[in-house]
Amino acid sequence: MLNRDNFFKIIIIICFASCHNVKEKEINETTKFFKKTSESIITKYEYKNVYYLMNDSIRIWAKNNLVPYRIATEPFKIDSLLCFNKARNKVITALEYQYISELTDHDGIIFFYGLKIKDKWYFFNGASIHLPREYYQKDIHTPLSFEKLHEIAMNEVFNGYLKKKDKGFWNNLFGKTDWEINDDFFKEINHPRILFKERRTDSNTYFSCRELNDKKEYEDCFFRHEALAVWNEDSTSVNRDTYLYSPEFPVTKKLRQLKKGDLLRVIERIDNSDWCCVRMWDGNPNVGFIEKKTIVKLKKSSR
């Protein structure tokens, strides 16, 4: 016969397993419900197409060693849940990744955004979530499973995608609960970091967007450059002696002389021109134009 201690241990294990199964079932059901809602907005075909485009983009960025997508050289996965807005032109998901190293004790999740501008999807990352393994399991040397990462993402990324539909006081109290897409869920991509009214006064506005007078055109321009900014170098240098010019057209005023090897950060490759807007690592004024041909080129891999 089992002694009392062993009996209680077995009861605890059974209760723990039961609770775990209930939680897992709840997550699976919520995921299916969210996905079904999202597919009903965008269609199953377009859902799969956007998922493919996201994966293709990240693999190209990782292949070219672009920051911050170097993590994609580690095992990574775009969560199977994509949350689309009612207008079918915005999507939010999670980029989940594992670190395979005995020296690493954490994994992570990155908010991953998509915007459809003039019938083309553009993707870019948002905030990242650092996940110490010790919070979720005893073994800190084994990466969190993608199942666990999805579970965390359901709470940290996808929570809030749907909200209860307001059907009036009495129906809210006694009627069946209906759900609808929550537009506030997309707040990070509803408005650009630099608001329309501040576009001409904030030096961090993309130059190509600065003079646009239509709010929608400005926002589309800003987010398009947010996505394309992955191809800009966070840290590069000039390949010959040159000049930093004042950031306005026509380009005539020299701000300072640059020597071969001087460090800079490319902010924007100006549309349809031979110029880049850059920020110097030292000195003032530190923002200006430099000729594209004078910047050390990032080595790019073919697709």
Side-chain angles (χ1 to χ4, degrees):
M1 295 181 61
L2 293 172
N3 62 40
R4 188 170 61 178
D5 289 342
N6 287 338
F7 175 77
F8 282 119
K9 285 180 182 178
I10 292 173
I11 293 297
I12 291 172
I13 291 172
I14 292 173
C15 290
F16 178 81
S18 177
C19 291
H20 175 76
N21 290 337
V22 169
K23 185 177 181 181
E24 185 177 13
K25 183 179 180 181
E26 183 181 342
I27 290 171
N28 289 340
E29 289 178 351
T30 303
T31 301
K32 288 178 182 178
F33 183 55
F34 280 20
K35 185 175 181 180
K36 185 177 180 180
T37 303
S38 202
E39 287 178 336
S40 71
I41 293 294
I42 200 74
T43 75
K44 289 184 178 181
Y45 173 81
E46 185 62 10
Y47 189 103
K48 291 180 179 179
N49 181 53
V50 173
Y51 191 77
Y52 167 79
L53 292 174
M54 284 181 167
N55 274 284
D56 192 47
S57 295
I58 291 175
R59 293 189 187 281
I60 292 171
W61 297 334
K63 190 174 182 180
N64 285 286
N65 202 33
L66 303 180
V67 178
Y69 298 98
R70 291 170 185 163
I71 60 97
T73 57
E74 301 283 349
F76 81 95
K77 182 181 180 182
I78 296 176
D79 198 283
S80 61
L81 178 57
L82 310 183
C83 295
F84 290 89
N85 67 336
K86 296 175 186 177
R88 303 188 295 277
N89 60 357
K90 296 175 184 176
V91 61
I92 294 178
T93 189
L95 174 59
E96 301 151 357
Y97 60 92
Q98 302 168 328
Y99 278 121
I100 307 299
S101 170
E102 293 182 357
L103 302 177
T104 304
D105 60 358
H106 68 277
D107 302 295
I109 296 174
I110 297 175
F111 284 76
F112 198 60
Y113 303 135
L115 274 171
K116 194 174 187 179
I117 302 171
K118 295 181 179 178
D119 296 324
K120 183 177 179 180
W121 282 100
Y122 293 87
F123 305 112
F124 55 98
N125 67 290
S128 58
I129 305 173
H130 182 86
L131 301 173
R133 292 169 188 159
E134 63 180 337
Y135 291 176
Y136 306 98
Q137 61 189 28
K138 290 183 178 181
D139 183 1
I140 65 170
H141 301 295
T142 299
L144 298 173
S145 68
F146 283 112
E147 289 78 12
K148 187 63 180 180
L149 291 172
H150 170 70
E151 177 187 321
I152 298 169
M154 287 301 294
N155 289 320
E156 300 296 335
V157 178
F158 301 115
N159 184 35
Y161 175 47
L162 300 182
K163 66 179 181 179
K164 290 182 180 180
K165 187 178 293 185
D166 185 1
K167 300 192 296 182
F169 179 76
W170 288 109
N171 284 328
N172 287 342
L173 282 178
F174 304 108
K176 179 185 176 182
T177 300
D178 290 331
W179 299 87
E180 64 180 350
I181 293 174
N182 178 18
D183 192 57
D184 287 341
F185 176 75
F186 299 89
K187 61 183 178 180
E188 293 299 324
I189 47 178
N190 281 341
H191 307 288
R193 288 183 294 103
I194 299 168
L195 299 179
F196 177 68
K197 63 182 180 180
E198 299 170 355
R199 69 194 185 283
R200 291 175 180 166
T201 57
D202 194 314
S203 62
N204 291 307
T205 304
Y206 292 109
F207 183 85
S208 302
C209 313
R210 188 179 299 274
E211 299 303 319
L212 294 177
N213 293 317
D214 181 87
K215 186 171 182 289
K216 178 64 165 57
E217 285 185 12
Y218 166 75
E219 291 177 351
D220 284 351
C221 178
F222 193 94
F223 282 121
R224 183 174 68 87
H225 279 288
E226 288 282 272
L228 296 176
V230 68
W231 293 100
N232 296 340
E233 292 88 346
D234 281 339
S235 179
T236 187
S237 60
V238 294
N239 58 27
R240 69 188 78 170
D241 291 354
T242 186
Y243 291 93
L244 179 71
Y245 293 85
S246 179
E248 65 262 341
F249 287 117
V251 182
T252 55
K253 184 179 178 182
K254 296 176 181 177
L255 296 178
R256 59 183 281 193
Q257 187 173 12
L258 302 178
K259 296 292 185 180
K260 180 179 178 179
D262 281 352
L263 298 177
L264 52 83
R265 173 179 179 264
V266 178
I267 299 174
E268 174 190 2
R269 297 178 181 275
I270 308 300
D271 294 340
N272 304 315
S273 81
D274 297 324
W275 299 92
C276 284
C277 181
V278 302
R279 184 183 299 278
M280 303 303 299
W281 285 115
D282 65 328
N284 286 305
N286 62 352
V287 176
F289 284 170
I290 189 174
E291 291 180 281
K292 289 178 182 176
K293 63 183 180 182
T294 63
I295 295 175
V296 173
K297 290 184 179 180
L298 184 71
K299 293 182 179 179
K300 297 181 175 63
S301 304
S302 59
R303 293 183 61 161

